[in-house]
């Protein structure tokens, strides 16, 4: 989205279903697997309409220190944009380097989804399925958090000759993509 100052802001949410009070840890290795390579979170930007990434914004993290704070490193096409720290608890740390700003930390999950209604989509019982439901639905993601990564940078760092861009996200270990699901309910 466009910030008030004209910059473009890109946001990627990972580690869904984090309970309140849990510390947000971005993967410095694949979770639950010992001795893995570091994970990199990517914003891929197509700036010329050919559906191939022209700009690759990579975000990686160190292992957390004793307080749970991690070092964040953001790159653009392999060149370092900034290095900073993740936010912890209710404190918000905004990292800056020139016109580039970055945030990484725990945020309230903005997604609303009636999981029970989806699971029971074919149910003929009244109120079970969310198809045709006019009543109140249950937000499965209420009081859950995500680890958010936000980058703000000048639009000129993303565009080619057009003002339109295409953006998608990926998570990699080395050169191997390790995403599990890109859209809710589509696995």
């Amino acid at each position: 989205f466009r910030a008030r100052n004209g910059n473009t802001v890109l946001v990627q949410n990972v580690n869904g279903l984090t309970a309140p009070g849990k510390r947000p840890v971005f993967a410095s290795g694949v979770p639950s697997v010992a001795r893995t390579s570091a994970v990199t979170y990517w914003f891929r930007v197509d700036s010329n309409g050919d559906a191939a990434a022209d700009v690759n914004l990579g975000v990686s993290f160190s292992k957390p220190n004793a307080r749970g704070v991690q070092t964040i490193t953001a790159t653009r096409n392999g060149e370092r944009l900034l290095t900073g720290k993740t936010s912890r608890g209710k404190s918000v740390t905004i990292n800056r380097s020139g016109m580039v700003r970055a945030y990484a930390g725990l945020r309230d999950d903005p997604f609303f989804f009636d999981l029970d209604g989806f699971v029971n989509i074919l149910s003929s019982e009244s109120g079970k399925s969310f198809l045709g439901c006019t009543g109140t639905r249950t937000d499965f993601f209420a009081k859950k958090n995500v680890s958010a990564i936000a980058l703000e940078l000048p639009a000129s760092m993303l565009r080619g000759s057009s003002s339109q861009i295409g953006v998608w996200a990926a998570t990699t270990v080395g050169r191997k993509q390790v995403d599990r699901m890109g859209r809710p309910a589509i696995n």
Side-chain angles (χ1 to χ4, degrees):
F1 60 89
R2 181 82 59 191
R4 278 184 253 172
N5 62 6
N7 282 350
T8 299
V9 179
L10 304 174
V11 179
Q12 183 176 160
N13 292 327
V14 298
N15 305 330
L17 304 178
T18 303
K22 294 276 273 182
R23 88 171 102 157
V25 176
F26 294 90
S28 53
V30 177
S32 304
V33 180
R35 298 187 185 113
T36 63
S37 301
V39 171
T40 303
Y41 301 98
W42 295 96
F43 294 96
R44 309 280 195 193
V45 182
D46 171 20
S47 62
N48 62 10
D50 66 356
D54 300 300
V55 177
N56 291 290
L57 300 165
V59 182
S60 57
F61 297 88
S62 68
K63 291 185 179 185
N65 67 17
R67 291 185 37 234
V69 176
Q70 294 174 269
T71 299
I72 175 177
T73 302
T75 61
R76 179 184 179 275
N77 293 342
E79 304 272 329
R80 186 186 324 241
L81 290 175
L82 66 77
T83 301
K85 301 285 181 195
T86 59
S87 293
R88 171 127 164 62
K90 293 185 180 189
S91 70
V92 175
T93 303
I94 304 295
N95 302 286
R96 291 180 171 89
S97 178
M99 293 291 294
V100 178
R101 298 183 340 154
Y103 166 85
L106 204 59
R107 305 308 295 162
D108 181 32
D109 192 329
F111 190 67
F112 181 99
F113 189 68
D114 178 11
L115 182 62
D116 292 332
F118 179 75
V119 169
N120 295 304
I121 198 166
L122 298 177
S123 176
S124 58
E125 287 183 59
S126 178
K128 283 276 196 175
S129 172
F130 64 49
L131 293 179
C133 178
T134 58
T136 304
R137 302 311 310 168
T138 303
D139 181 9
F140 177 76
F141 294 99
K143 298 185 179 161
K144 301 286 192 298
N145 294 307
V146 294
S147 296
I149 303 166
L151 292 178
E152 178 187 317
L153 57 167
S156 61
M157 295 180 80
L158 304 174
R159 305 193 293 248
S161 57
S162 169
S163 64
Q164 295 182 357
I165 60 172
V167 181
W168 65 97
T171 306
T172 61
V173 173
R175 295 174 95 65
K176 183 176 180 183
Q177 189 164 326
V178 294
D179 307 289
R180 295 298 186 262
M181 186 162 51
R183 287 187 266 167
I186 309 295
N187 197 348

